[in-house]
Amino acid sequence: MNYESRKTPLADVAHETAAHARGLDWVGMEGIALPLRRDGATVPAMADVFVDLVAGTRGIHMSRLYLRLRESLANGEVGIARVRAFLQACIDSQQGLSTAARLRLRFSALLERPALASANAGWRDYPVEVEAQLGRDGLQVAFTVDLQYSSTCPASAALSRQVISEHFLQAFPDGGSAAEIAAWLESPAGMAATPHAQRSIARVRVELAEDADEFPVAALVDAVERALGTPVQTAVKREDERAFAEANAANLMFCEDAARRVAAAVSTLEACRHYRVQVSHLESLHAHDAVAVVSA
């Protein structure tokens, strides 16, 4: 008798009767490493996969979810059609035990950003989280992007201008020539106070319209950065730093101002059905952050 003929079926207790075998909202796995394709490049990602579980059954076929993830999404270009097909495959894999499936993907979108004034450019990574759910109400898809920008406080800027004006009147009580004034302004004395600015974060969540066929990450980033006017930079020469200082002066904003700017930009995206914007100014004046939230 050979080994194959002596093998017995592998034990499987997943379908044994369980006490209090009520249905469960979601059962699955979190933190699955996965390679994805984005714009022709492979990016590392983490995935969470869940299905619901009908009453009367002890557990799901969990390994089938992992295998469907590998078969459907690993090394594949991420699009809404592929996500829908994957979620349906997850439901089908449970053979009647599930009626809905959920997917969460976390990865970074790497976008090239030009310098403000010089001919240079550099790469910025934008954390992205995709959420998708397929069930009785059809497919619901949303994605979230984090963007960093600089915010200069309007109140602090006004106070700084006031201090500089007072110092100017002390330095030139009887007036002065244009050359003398220009020299004073360029000296340390001409910068008697500076407004506080800080790195800030806009977290934008967009629920996509039913007819959307892709995740418009780059379009969202471009629209939001144009609206804010002060995205953090990559390659920076002196002319770029000067341009960045000018951009901050031209875009003084409280967190309330920033939230409204971002919301106005996001609302123009054709693929957007609903959105939620949270901006956080990581204060350099206070030990706490200033936060504003708006949704529609």
Side-chain angles (χ1 to χ4, degrees):
M1 182 182 296
N2 61 31
Y3 174 75
E4 290 296 327
S5 64
R6 289 187 287 108
K7 284 204 312 183
T8 58
L10 297 176
D12 185 1
V13 300
H15 302 297
E16 292 180 355
T17 301
H20 311 296
R22 62 173 296 169
L24 299 176
D25 292 344
W26 300 109
V27 185
M29 297 168 285
E30 290 186 338
I32 304 171
L34 185 73
L36 296 178
R37 296 287 292 176
R38 285 286 301 169
D39 300 322
T42 299
V43 298
M46 299 296 287
D48 306 335
V49 184
F50 296 90
V51 291
D52 65 341
L53 179 62
V54 299
T57 304
R58 185 174 187 180
I60 66 169
H61 301 283
M62 197 167 292
S63 63
R64 296 178 186 177
L65 300 182
Y66 182 91
L67 295 176
R68 296 302 181 275
L69 185 69
R70 178 181 174 86
E71 294 164 0
S72 301
L73 295 184
N75 292 310
E77 192 75 20
V78 180
I80 292 178
R82 186 183 290 272
V83 167
R84 176 191 286 273
F86 164 71
L87 291 173
Q88 187 61 58
C90 288
I91 296 171
D92 295 342
S93 74
Q94 301 306 305
Q95 298 179 324
L97 302 182
S98 302
T99 62
R102 290 178 61 189
L103 170 69
R104 184 183 297 115
L105 295 172
R106 297 178 297 280
F107 58 90
S108 288
L110 196 62
L111 303 178
E112 189 173 23
R113 307 279 91 178
L116 289 174
S118 69
N120 298 301
W123 295 92
R124 288 274 320 283
D125 71 315
Y126 298 85
V128 178
E129 181 175 300
V130 170
E131 304 166 79
Q133 179 173 322
L134 181 64
R136 294 184 181 88
D137 297 329
L139 180 66
Q140 301 172 38
V141 183
F143 73 99
T144 302
V145 182
D146 287 352
L147 307 93
Q148 296 185 49
Y149 63 99
S150 173
S151 60
T152 302
C153 176
S156 183
L159 294 170
S160 297
R161 291 193 298 269
Q162 186 178 48
V163 170
I164 293 171
S165 174
E166 292 170 354
H167 282 234
F168 173 81
L169 293 176
Q170 293 173 7
F172 299 96
D174 301 319
S177 69
E180 291 173 331
I181 294 172
W184 182 86
L185 289 172
E186 291 185 9
S187 72
M191 188 61 72
T194 59
H196 75 81
Q198 52 272 320
R199 187 181 298 180
S200 304
I201 300 172
R203 168 161 287 193
V204 183
R205 184 183 188 274
V206 174
E207 184 179 331
L208 295 176
E210 293 181 3
D211 59 351
D213 57 3
E214 63 177 356
F215 301 102
V217 174
L220 174 65
V221 169
D222 289 342
V224 171
E225 290 189 342
R226 282 195 301 269
L228 290 169
T230 55
V232 298
Q233 299 297 299
T234 55
V236 174
K237 302 292 286 183
R238 277 177 298 190
E239 57 266 39
D240 303 310
E241 188 164 1
R242 172 173 169 159
F244 188 66
E246 291 175 334
N248 274 268
N251 292 280
L252 303 174
M253 52 188 151
F254 297 118
C255 64
E256 298 93 330
D257 302 318
R260 294 185 182 107
R261 288 191 183 196
V262 176
V266 175
S267 65
T268 64
L269 295 176
E270 290 185 6
C272 176
R273 179 166 59 180
H274 300 292
Y275 65 81
R276 182 183 188 275
V277 171
Q278 176 175 315
V279 300
S280 301
H281 289 188
L282 313 183
E283 289 274 351
S284 60
L285 171 63
H286 303 289
H288 54 264
D289 301 335
V291 178
V293 178
V294 59
S295 60

